[in-house]
Amino acid sequence: MSKKSFFLLGILLSMVGTKTMAYDFEAKNAKGVTIYYNYINNGTELEVASGNYSGVVVIPNEVTFMNRTRKVTSIEGRAFYNCRGLTSVTIPNNVTTIGGSAFYGCSSLTSVTIGNSVTNIENSTFQECSNLASVKIGNNVTKIGDRAFLKCYKLTSITIPTSVTSIGIGTFMECTALVSVTIPNSVTSIGNYAFNYCSSLASVIIGDSITILEEGVFSGCSALKSVTIGNGVNTIGDRAFSNCKALKSITIPNSVTKIGSGVFQGCSGLTSITIPNSVTRIRGLVFSGCDISTVISKIENPFAIDPDNFSDNTYHNATLYVPVGTLEQYKATGGWKYFSYIKEGDGK
């Protein structure tokens, strides 16, 4: 999905009308807070229904109504949609399902505890919870959906449990207070723009199970200084790290074969780059806008690259280090030949 399409989808979602309240019955929890419920699974279980909730809400494990006790196993999609007075939610271990947009726009929500029975955090679940600072994700969550934490401006840190295998499109986009992220080896896919414009994000560790860094995944992370790319990555998508202005150096692992267009475009703090021999394709504008002083290419059979991959300043002033015995090849190969200073060696 392109960034334009992503924003159009967001606009369409924002145009959805206000929620309506429809429920089977209401009951007070242990603190006297009214919670609305629907019968599900042929009346054997309960789902938290849409309502005008506020303050602290603790969802009980089970509810007794009309002399029958049933477990609470689900939260309806949009159940707490735009409940701007809601400050805290505790989701019990019986709950296995939280519907999409369940807490969308809960702008006063500051903390959430998700029970260990929940397996998926659906699309837009906590989108625009602008004061959400603390989230505990249960140990059985396998999927974090598209835009799940989009524009959670106060979220400073999040622990992604090793049960998670998938992080969706724009999941943490514009979480501007997020400082660090460790993506465990269990995660096999991260969607486009997942961490786009996380402007306080300073360090990222990407596990070895990721094979593709998708388009724009860390673009606009202007404070990003440290990136560890896992050894399973074979493709770095278009603009994956564009405009990461604080990024000074990066080592691309030997597993990478394809580098997309504009991957490091506008990374004006970037001074050195190492390109492994595994790389077979480099698209345009990869390092444009970067004043790089040292380029280490370990590619033993150089292939032509677009001249716009590096800035004129880099071509005129940087030193390109190439494998021993390949100097003349680089001097004759498109793109590489524009470097004024080419030396054999590893740059040490």
Side-chain angles (χ1 to χ4, degrees):
M1 178 182 288
S2 68
K3 193 171 183 179
K4 182 179 179 181
S5 298
F6 177 82
F7 281 118
L8 287 173
L9 178 60
I11 291 170
L12 289 172
L13 286 171
S14 68
M15 294 170 65
V16 175
T18 57
K19 65 179 179 181
T20 57
M21 291 179 61
Y23 56 92
D24 292 329
F25 73 93
E26 61 184 71
K28 295 184 183 298
N29 68 6
K31 299 291 184 179
V33 175
T34 298
I35 301 178
Y36 304 92
Y37 299 97
N38 289 324
Y39 297 112
I40 58 173
N41 294 335
N42 296 318
T44 61
E45 297 174 350
L46 298 177
E47 173 183 73
V48 176
S50 177
N52 293 319
Y53 300 99
S54 63
V56 176
V57 175
V58 178
I59 300 171
N61 273 301
E62 55 188 25
V63 176
T64 300
F65 182 72
M66 296 183 68
N67 298 319
R68 182 171 175 182
T69 300
R70 298 174 175 86
K71 291 182 178 179
V72 181
T73 60
S74 178
I75 297 175
E76 182 182 39
R78 296 166 58 89
F80 296 87
Y81 185 88
N82 273 341
C83 290
R84 301 187 186 280
L86 186 70
T87 58
S88 175
V89 173
T90 299
I91 300 169
N93 285 331
N94 281 343
V95 171
T96 60
T97 303
I98 302 175
S101 302
F103 298 94
Y104 188 119
C106 294
S107 55
S108 297
L109 186 64
T110 59
S111 66
V112 172
T113 300
I114 299 172
N116 287 327
S117 295
V118 175
T119 56
N120 290 343
I121 298 176
E122 299 292 347
N123 295 351
S124 301
T125 298
F126 299 101
Q127 183 173 339
E128 297 187 27
C129 292
S130 54
N131 278 292
L132 185 61
S134 174
V135 177
K136 183 179 179 181
I137 298 176
N139 291 326
N140 285 311
V141 171
T142 60
K143 174 188 173 183
I144 304 177
D146 300 348
R147 305 173 303 279
F149 295 95
L150 172 66
K151 295 185 179 180
C152 290
Y153 298 127
K154 295 291 182 66
L155 192 63
T156 57
S157 65
I158 191 161
T159 299
I160 300 173
T162 56
S163 57
V164 173
T165 61
S166 173
I167 297 173
I169 297 170
T171 296
F172 297 98
M173 188 175 182
E174 295 187 47
C175 290
T176 53
L178 194 62
V179 174
S180 64
V181 172
T182 298
I183 300 168
N185 287 333
S186 59
V187 176
T188 59
S189 66
I190 306 175
N192 299 356
Y193 300 99
F195 295 92
N196 178 240
Y197 289 120
C198 290
S199 55
S200 296
L201 189 62
S203 65
V204 172
I205 299 174
I206 300 167
D208 291 338
S209 297
I210 299 293
T211 57
I212 299 175
L213 290 180
E214 298 285 358
E215 179 180 341
V217 62
F218 294 103
S219 59
C221 294
S222 54
L224 190 62
K225 294 180 180 179
S226 172
V227 177
T228 302
I229 299 176
N231 290 320
V233 173
N234 58 52
T235 301
I236 303 178
D238 297 350
R239 297 177 296 282
F241 295 96
S242 66
N243 293 312
C244 293
K245 298 181 184 299
L247 195 62
K248 292 186 176 181
S249 66
I250 191 164
T251 298
I252 299 171
N254 291 326
S255 55
V256 173
T257 60
K258 299 176 183 178
I259 300 175
S261 64
V263 168
F264 299 100
Q265 187 174 13
C267 295
S268 56
L270 189 62
T271 59
S272 67
I273 187 74
T274 299
I275 303 171
N277 185 46
S278 57
V279 172
T280 59
R281 187 177 75 176
I282 301 175
R283 297 184 66 188
L285 299 171
V286 172
F287 303 103
S288 67
C290 305
D291 290 332
I292 300 173
S293 58
T294 302
V295 178
I296 302 170
S297 175
K298 296 187 177 182
I299 300 171
E300 295 176 354
N301 295 300
F303 49 87
I305 61 172
D306 291 340
D308 62 10
N309 267 304
F310 295 94
S311 67
D312 288 342
N313 187 59
T314 297
Y315 281 125
H316 294 321
N317 299 302
T319 301
L320 170 62
Y321 291 93
V322 300
V324 174
T326 65
L327 180 62
E328 295 305 317
Q329 287 177 269
Y330 273 87
K331 285 184 176 180
T333 302
W336 302 108
K337 66 182 181 182
Y338 296 113
F339 278 90
S340 299
Y341 306 100
I342 307 177
K343 296 181 179 180
E344 291 185 346
D346 58 7
K348 296 180 180 178

